[in-house]
Amino acid sequence: RNELARMQADNLLESIRTFGFIPNAQRQYYLSRSQVPLSATLIRKVVVASELEFTQINDNARLDQLRNWVLNRAVPLLEHELINYWRCPETRFDTATKLHRHWDDLLVKRPERHSSDNELTLGKTLRDVRAMAESGLDFTSIYNGKSGLNEISRFAPVLLNSVLTKFATDLSWLASFAGLAKKGHDYSLLATEYSTALNQYLWNDKLGSYRQYHFDDKQLTTASCFTAFAPLFAGACSQERAARVFQDASKLEHSGGIAASDLYDSPHQWDGTNGWAPAQMIAIQGLQNYGYKRDAQRIAHKWVQALANTHQESGCFIERIDVKSCQAPKEYGRGYPVQAGFLWTNASFTWALTTVLGYSVSKSN
C-alpha cells in the first residue's frame, strides 16, 4: 500500500514544516516534545518502495515526481528537523561529546498522564518526566541517576543516539537520490561523527555492550536494556562489538522474545519481562544487519508464536506481552492498563512473519 505510505510520510513532513519537528502526538499539548526521530528512516523506506513500484511499471513521470518530492520537500524539511531541532545546543545536543539527549521546555505536569501517575515520583524534575515521555519509554528505571529517580534529561541514551546516527545515514542517502552529491557526502560525514561519539562514550568494554551515559557523572549505567541492540539496528558498530552485544543481551531473550530490561524488580512497564513490538523489531533487524540470520529468525518465531497465543486467548492483539509467560502482563506497579488492538503489535507480527520468516500474506474479502 505504497500510496497510503507516501501520504502518511507527507503528513509527517507537514508536521516538520509547521512545527519544526514531529510532535509526540498530534495534539497541541505535545508541542514541547518530539516523536522518536525515525522520520528520515521512514521516508527512505517509502522512497525505495516507491522507486521500485514506478520502475516496474515504467512510469517515468511518477519517478520524476518522486525525485522532485525528495529534492524540494523531504530533504530540506528533514535537514531542518535534524539541524535546528535535534542539534540545538540549548536543549537536545551536547557540543562537547556530540551526543544527544531528550528534553522538554516545560516544567509542568503532563496533561496526558494516567490518573494514577504521581509525577513527583516519576522523575527528579518534571522536565525529566516529560523528556522520558519523549523517549517513548515511559517509564523505565534505566535512567535513574544518583538521586534514585529518573534523570533522563541528563543522559545520552543509546537508542536516541543510534536512531540519530541512522537519521544522518538515511538523509545522506536521500540527498544522493535527489542528485545532491555534496549534501549526501556531508551527511555521510555527520553519520560517521555520530557513530564515533556513540562508540566512544556509550560503549562499556567491561560489560561488552552499550549503556546510557550521564553527562554530569560521566558514568555509564550497568543495567541491560533492549536498546543495546540499537547500534546494530543503525549499523553503527563493528562486527566484533555486535557479537559482544548479542552475548551480553542474550539474558534478555525469553520464550516470547526480548524483554525490555533485566530490571525485573522495577515497577515500570518498560522494564523486566514486558515485551514491546519496537524492542523486537530493533533487536531482530539489528541481528540481521550483522549476519545473525538464524538468531533473528528464532526471536521472530518466538514473538509471532507468543502473539498468536495471546490473540487466540483474547481475540485481539495487545500493546505488550509478558515474554516469559507469553501471556498478557499482570497489572502491577506504575504501568497503565494494557491496551487492546495496538497497531505496532499488529505491524511487528506481519513484519516478522513476512520479512523475517518468509511467509506470504494472502488477501481475503
Side-chain angles (χ1 to χ4, degrees), residues 260-286:
S261 78
D262 65 355
L263 297 176
Y264 297 111
D265 294 328
S266 168
H268 296 302
Q269 61 185 8
W270 280 92
D271 284 323
T273 56
N274 285 291
W276 296 84
Q280 316 309 313
M281 298 181 78
I282 287 169
I284 292 166
Q285 185 62 64

Short mmCIF file of all heavy atoms in Angstrom, two decimals, residues 260-286:
data_model
loop_
_atom_site.label_atom_id
_atom_site.label_comp_id
_atom_site.label_asym_id
_atom_site.label_seq_id
_atom_site.Cartn_x
_atom_site.Cartn_y
_atom_site.Cartn_z
N ALA A 260 12.21 -6.13 28.01
CA ALA A 260 12.56 -4.71 27.97
C ALA A 260 13.90 -4.43 28.64
O ALA A 260 14.72 -3.67 28.12
CB ALA A 260 11.45 -3.89 28.63
N SER A 261 14.13 -5.04 29.81
CA SER A 261 15.40 -4.85 30.52
C SER A 261 15.57 -5.99 31.52
O SER A 261 14.67 -6.82 31.70
CB SER A 261 15.43 -3.50 31.23
OG SER A 261 14.68 -3.54 32.44
N ASP A 262 16.73 -6.00 32.17
CA ASP A 262 16.94 -7.00 33.20
C ASP A 262 16.61 -6.46 34.60
O ASP A 262 16.98 -7.06 35.61
CB ASP A 262 18.37 -7.56 33.16
CG ASP A 262 19.44 -6.52 33.49
OD1 ASP A 262 19.09 -5.32 33.66
OD2 ASP A 262 20.63 -6.89 33.56
N LEU A 263 15.91 -5.36 34.66
CA LEU A 263 15.46 -4.79 35.94
C LEU A 263 14.10 -5.40 36.28
O LEU A 263 13.05 -4.77 36.15
CB LEU A 263 15.38 -3.26 35.83
CG LEU A 263 16.71 -2.55 35.56
CD1 LEU A 263 16.50 -1.06 35.37
CD2 LEU A 263 17.71 -2.81 36.68
N TYR A 264 14.13 -6.64 36.72
CA TYR A 264 12.89 -7.40 36.90
C TYR A 264 12.10 -6.97 38.13
O TYR A 264 10.92 -7.30 38.25
CB TYR A 264 13.22 -8.90 36.96
CG TYR A 264 13.83 -9.40 35.67
CD1 TYR A 264 15.16 -9.80 35.61
CD2 TYR A 264 13.08 -9.43 34.49
CE1 TYR A 264 15.73 -10.23 34.42
CE2 TYR A 264 13.64 -9.85 33.30
CZ TYR A 264 14.96 -10.25 33.27
OH TYR A 264 15.52 -10.67 32.08
N ASP A 265 12.72 -6.22 39.04
CA ASP A 265 12.01 -5.72 40.22
C ASP A 265 11.48 -4.30 40.02
O ASP A 265 10.88 -3.74 40.93
CB ASP A 265 12.94 -5.74 41.44
CG ASP A 265 13.33 -7.16 41.84
OD1 ASP A 265 12.50 -8.07 41.65
OD2 ASP A 265 14.45 -7.35 42.34
N SER A 266 11.71 -3.74 38.84
CA SER A 266 11.25 -2.38 38.57
C SER A 266 9.71 -2.35 38.50
O SER A 266 9.09 -3.28 37.98
CB SER A 266 11.83 -1.88 37.25
OG SER A 266 11.20 -0.69 36.83
N PRO A 267 9.09 -1.28 38.98
CA PRO A 267 7.63 -1.16 38.88
C PRO A 267 7.16 -0.65 37.52
O PRO A 267 5.95 -0.51 37.29
CB PRO A 267 7.30 -0.13 39.97
CG PRO A 267 8.51 0.77 39.98
CD PRO A 267 9.68 -0.15 39.73
N HIS A 268 8.10 -0.38 36.61
CA HIS A 268 7.76 0.29 35.36
C HIS A 268 7.51 -0.69 34.22
O HIS A 268 8.11 -1.76 34.15
CB HIS A 268 8.86 1.27 34.97
CG HIS A 268 9.04 2.39 35.95
ND1 HIS A 268 8.03 3.26 36.29
CD2 HIS A 268 10.13 2.78 36.67
CE1 HIS A 268 8.47 4.14 37.17
NE2 HIS A 268 9.74 3.87 37.42
N GLN A 269 6.68 -0.25 33.25
CA GLN A 269 6.26 -1.14 32.17
C GLN A 269 7.29 -1.27 31.04
O GLN A 269 7.16 -2.15 30.20
CB GLN A 269 4.93 -0.65 31.59
CG GLN A 269 4.98 0.75 30.98
CD GLN A 269 3.62 1.23 30.54
OE1 GLN A 269 2.61 0.59 30.80
NE2 GLN A 269 3.58 2.36 29.84
N TRP A 270 8.32 -0.44 31.03
CA TRP A 270 9.40 -0.60 30.04
C TRP A 270 10.61 -1.28 30.67
O TRP A 270 11.75 -1.09 30.23
CB TRP A 270 9.78 0.74 29.42
CG TRP A 270 8.83 1.16 28.34
CD1 TRP A 270 7.72 1.93 28.47
CD2 TRP A 270 8.89 0.80 26.95
NE1 TRP A 270 7.08 2.09 27.27
CE2 TRP A 270 7.78 1.40 26.31
CE3 TRP A 270 9.77 0.04 26.18
CZ2 TRP A 270 7.53 1.26 24.95
CZ3 TRP A 270 9.52 -0.10 24.82
CH2 TRP A 270 8.42 0.51 24.22
N ASP A 271 10.36 -2.10 31.68
CA ASP A 271 11.41 -2.89 32.32
C ASP A 271 10.94 -4.33 32.46
O ASP A 271 9.78 -4.67 32.18
CB ASP A 271 11.74 -2.34 33.72
CG ASP A 271 12.59 -1.08 33.67
OD1 ASP A 271 13.47 -1.00 32.79
OD2 ASP A 271 12.37 -0.18 34.50
N GLY A 272 11.86 -5.18 32.92
CA GLY A 272 11.52 -6.57 33.21
C GLY A 272 11.09 -7.34 31.98
O GLY A 272 11.56 -7.10 30.87
N THR A 273 10.16 -8.27 32.18
CA THR A 273 9.76 -9.18 31.10
C THR A 273 8.67 -8.61 30.20
O THR A 273 8.10 -9.34 29.40
CB THR A 273 9.28 -10.52 31.69
OG1 THR A 273 8.21 -10.28 32.63
CG2 THR A 273 10.42 -11.24 32.39
N ASN A 274 8.39 -7.33 30.32
CA ASN A 274 7.48 -6.70 29.37
C ASN A 274 8.10 -6.76 27.98
O ASN A 274 9.25 -6.36 27.78
CB ASN A 274 7.22 -5.24 29.75
CG ASN A 274 6.30 -5.11 30.94
OD1 ASN A 274 5.10 -5.42 30.83
ND2 ASN A 274 6.83 -4.68 32.08
N GLY A 275 7.34 -7.28 27.03
CA GLY A 275 7.81 -7.39 25.65
C GLY A 275 7.06 -6.42 24.76
O GLY A 275 5.84 -6.48 24.66
N TRP A 276 7.80 -5.54 24.11
CA TRP A 276 7.22 -4.50 23.27
C TRP A 276 7.63 -4.71 21.81
O TRP A 276 8.75 -5.12 21.52
CB TRP A 276 7.71 -3.13 23.72
CG TRP A 276 7.29 -2.72 25.09
CD1 TRP A 276 7.90 -3.04 26.28
CD2 TRP A 276 6.17 -1.91 25.43
NE1 TRP A 276 7.23 -2.46 27.33
CE2 TRP A 276 6.17 -1.76 26.85
CE3 TRP A 276 5.17 -1.26 24.69
CZ2 TRP A 276 5.21 -1.01 27.52
CZ3 TRP A 276 4.22 -0.52 25.37
CH2 TRP A 276 4.24 -0.39 26.77
N ALA A 277 6.72 -4.36 20.91
CA ALA A 277 7.00 -4.53 19.48
C ALA A 277 8.26 -3.81 19.02
O ALA A 277 9.08 -4.40 18.30
CB ALA A 277 5.79 -4.07 18.66
N PRO A 278 8.48 -2.53 19.39
CA PRO A 278 9.71 -1.88 18.92
C PRO A 278 10.98 -2.59 19.38
O PRO A 278 11.97 -2.62 18.65
CB PRO A 278 9.61 -0.47 19.52
CG PRO A 278 8.17 -0.26 19.79
CD PRO A 278 7.63 -1.61 20.16
N ALA A 279 10.95 -3.15 20.59
CA ALA A 279 12.13 -3.86 21.10
C ALA A 279 12.45 -5.07 20.24
O ALA A 279 13.62 -5.33 19.92
CB ALA A 279 11.89 -4.28 22.55
N GLN A 280 11.42 -5.80 19.83
CA GLN A 280 11.65 -6.99 18.99
C GLN A 280 12.17 -6.58 17.62
O GLN A 280 13.12 -7.18 17.09
CB GLN A 280 10.34 -7.78 18.81
CG GLN A 280 9.51 -7.98 20.07
CD GLN A 280 10.29 -8.53 21.25
OE1 GLN A 280 11.05 -9.48 21.13
NE2 GLN A 280 10.10 -7.91 22.42
N MET A 281 11.57 -5.54 17.04
CA MET A 281 11.95 -5.14 15.69
C MET A 281 13.37 -4.59 15.65
O MET A 281 14.14 -4.86 14.71
CB MET A 281 10.95 -4.13 15.14
CG MET A 281 9.54 -4.70 15.02
SD MET A 281 8.31 -3.54 14.36
CE MET A 281 8.70 -3.62 12.61
N ILE A 282 13.75 -3.81 16.67
CA ILE A 282 15.11 -3.27 16.74
C ILE A 282 16.12 -4.39 16.91
O ILE A 282 17.16 -4.43 16.23
CB ILE A 282 15.21 -2.23 17.87
CG1 ILE A 282 14.47 -0.95 17.48
CG2 ILE A 282 16.66 -1.93 18.22
CD1 ILE A 282 14.29 0.03 18.61
N ALA A 283 15.83 -5.34 17.81
CA ALA A 283 16.75 -6.46 18.05
C ALA A 283 16.87 -7.35 16.82
O ALA A 283 17.98 -7.71 16.40
CB ALA A 283 16.28 -7.26 19.26
N ILE A 284 15.74 -7.71 16.24
CA ILE A 284 15.74 -8.61 15.09
C ILE A 284 16.44 -7.98 13.89
O ILE A 284 17.30 -8.60 13.25
CB ILE A 284 14.30 -9.02 14.72
CG1 ILE A 284 13.72 -9.91 15.83
CG2 ILE A 284 14.25 -9.73 13.38
CD1 ILE A 284 12.21 -10.10 15.73
N GLN A 285 16.09 -6.73 13.57
CA GLN A 285 16.73 -6.06 12.43
C GLN A 285 18.22 -5.86 12.69
O GLN A 285 19.04 -6.02 11.78
CB GLN A 285 16.06 -4.71 12.17
CG GLN A 285 16.58 -3.99 10.92
CD GLN A 285 16.33 -4.78 9.66
OE1 GLN A 285 15.19 -5.01 9.29
NE2 GLN A 285 17.40 -5.22 9.00
N GLY A 286 18.57 -5.52 13.92
CA GLY A 286 19.97 -5.34 14.25
C GLY A 286 20.78 -6.62 14.05
O GLY A 286 21.87 -6.60 13.48
#
